[in-house]
């Protein structure tokens, strides 16, 4: 069939000239896709609002020889609050970039799609930072990168004594294993329990989680280093978040 329908979240849009945009979308049906949207930047285009980043849109796609194109589209949820606050924009951009890095093109992953959509919805009322930390852990788990938190990632025994975390080894280390790993970083038991809560609690319950500013900063660094190790790349949006957080 030359035409097919998808419900998708717009992750990125790239100007191509002549009013065209290349869209990177994450669809419920086909996973990550690249499609061309012709003429959408023109003032007369009815598609303009529905192809903006962080928009949940119903697309009618025309199958092409090399690249599929948008035949029709209608916004389902526009999420205007994601564009109204610089802090929330930075977290939404980070989630979009993380999804682009995590999932190969054309690979369906409906649990990850639902997680992204729910997280975007909840950013209107709850802390974007904690939602993002939880998304990092849950998304890593859905893609097979879940860190080991219940046992020592090296020896498999219940973690005893002082605890460490190693991205290279894949999670929490006991005192004996952590002492022998020069790249492992010390973590408190409270921080490990917080990581478990971020992983296991539903997204809509996370506002009940109390995390000190110091632990927030350490967890952010720990999870980013963990993801960077497995993705083998830096994420540009994370640098923007850090710069924004440091401004008065």
């Amino acid at each position: 069939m030359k035409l097919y329908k998808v419900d998708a979240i717009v992750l990125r849009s790239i100007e191509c000239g002549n009013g065209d945009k290349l869209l990177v979308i994450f669809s419920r049906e086909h996973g990550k896709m690249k499609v061309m949207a012709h003429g959408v930047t023109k003032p007369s285009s009815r598609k303009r609002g529905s192809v903006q980043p962080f928009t949940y849109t119903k697309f009618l796609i025309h199958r092409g020889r090399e690249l599929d194109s948008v035949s029709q589209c209608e916004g389902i949820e526009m999420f205007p609050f994601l564009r109204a606050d610089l802090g929330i924009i930075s977290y939404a951009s980070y989630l979009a970039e993380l999804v682009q890095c995590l999932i190969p093109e054309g690979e369906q992953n409906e649990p990850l799609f639902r997680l992204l959509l729910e997280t975007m919805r909840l950013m209107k009322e709850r802390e974007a930072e904690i939602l993002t930390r939880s998304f990092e852990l849950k998304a890593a788990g859905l893609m097979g990168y879940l860190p080991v938190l219940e046992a020592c990632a090296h020896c498999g025994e219940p973690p005893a004594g002082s605890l460490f975390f190693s991205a290279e080894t894949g999670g929490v280390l006991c005192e004996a294993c952590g002492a022998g790993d020069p790249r492992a970083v010390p973590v408190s038991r409270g921080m490990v329990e917080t990581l478990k809560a971020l992983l296991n609690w539903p997204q809509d319950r996370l506002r009940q989680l109390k995390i000190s500013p110091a632990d927030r900063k350490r967890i952010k660094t720990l999870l980013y280093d963990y993801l960077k190790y497995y993705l083998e790349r830096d994420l540009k949006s994370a640098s923007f978040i850090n710069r924004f957080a440091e401004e008065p």
Side-chain angles (χ1 to χ4, degrees):
M1 296 180 64
K2 290 187 176 181
L3 292 173
Y4 61 97
K5 297 179 180 180
V6 297
D7 291 346
I9 299 166
V10 180
L11 301 177
R12 187 183 180 194
S13 65
I14 304 167
E15 298 278 354
C16 297
N18 299 319
D20 300 342
K21 280 188 175 184
L22 177 65
L23 306 180
V24 181
I25 64 176
F26 184 33
S27 73
R28 185 189 302 271
E29 296 84 357
H30 303 292
K32 185 175 69 175
M33 306 167 56
K34 291 180 181 177
V35 295
M36 183 63 72
H38 295 289
V40 292
T41 64
K42 296 178 180 179
S44 59
S45 175
R46 297 181 179 179
K47 303 174 185 175
R48 292 181 68 186
S50 301
V51 299
Q52 299 300 314
F54 325 130
T55 301
Y56 179 30
T57 298
K58 186 180 295 292
F59 287 97
L60 180 64
I61 306 294
H62 182 271
R63 199 178 302 278
R65 290 184 179 179
E66 297 182 0
L67 188 65
D68 294 354
S69 60
V70 177
S71 179
Q72 297 177 23
C73 59
E74 179 183 359
I76 301 172
E77 292 184 60
M78 309 302 285
F79 301 107
F81 60 89
L82 291 178
R83 304 176 191 88
D85 182 279
L86 187 58
I88 298 180
I89 289 173
S90 64
Y91 283 109
S93 299
Y94 175 70
L95 295 184
E97 185 180 4
L98 182 56
V99 168
Q100 291 179 74
C101 294
L102 280 171
I103 189 165
E105 193 165 340
E107 182 176 296
Q108 184 189 30
N109 193 321
E110 187 167 354
L112 183 59
F113 178 88
R114 293 198 306 267
L115 176 64
L116 176 61
L117 188 59
E118 181 187 21
T119 301
M120 289 169 57
R121 286 168 174 162
L122 290 173
M123 281 184 171
K124 183 176 183 179
E125 302 175 1
R126 298 167 177 84
E127 289 194 52
E129 181 186 3
I130 291 179
L131 286 165
T132 298
R133 298 289 85 82
S134 178
F135 183 92
E136 288 172 323
L137 276 166
K138 290 171 180 172
L142 289 171
M143 297 307 300
Y145 304 132
L146 183 65
V148 178
L149 301 175
E150 299 289 348
C152 175
H154 183 262
C155 69
E157 296 295 324
S162 300
L163 301 183
F164 296 81
F165 189 95
S166 170
E168 292 85 350
T169 308
V172 173
L173 300 178
C174 66
E175 184 171 5
C177 295
D181 187 340
R183 294 167 293 187
V185 296
V187 292
S188 67
R189 290 190 177 273
M191 188 179 300
V192 174
E193 292 303 314
T194 298
L195 290 171
K196 292 179 184 178
L198 290 168
L199 173 63
N200 296 316
W201 287 16
Q203 297 294 87
D204 60 1
R205 186 186 166 196
L206 290 172
R207 60 179 175 177
Q208 302 174 23
L209 192 59
K210 306 301 180 183
I211 310 175
S212 70
D215 278 354
R216 288 185 183 219
K217 187 174 182 179
R218 294 192 67 189
I219 289 172
K220 177 183 72 173
T221 301
L222 182 149
L223 289 179
Y224 181 72
D225 288 345
Y226 179 81
L227 288 168
K228 184 170 70 171
Y229 176 79
Y230 283 96
L231 294 173
E232 299 182 337
R233 62 185 296 178
D234 284 309
L235 298 173
K236 296 179 181 178
S237 301
S239 299
F240 179 78
I241 291 174
N242 291 336
R243 290 198 303 270
F244 178 78
E246 290 170 0
E247 292 180 358

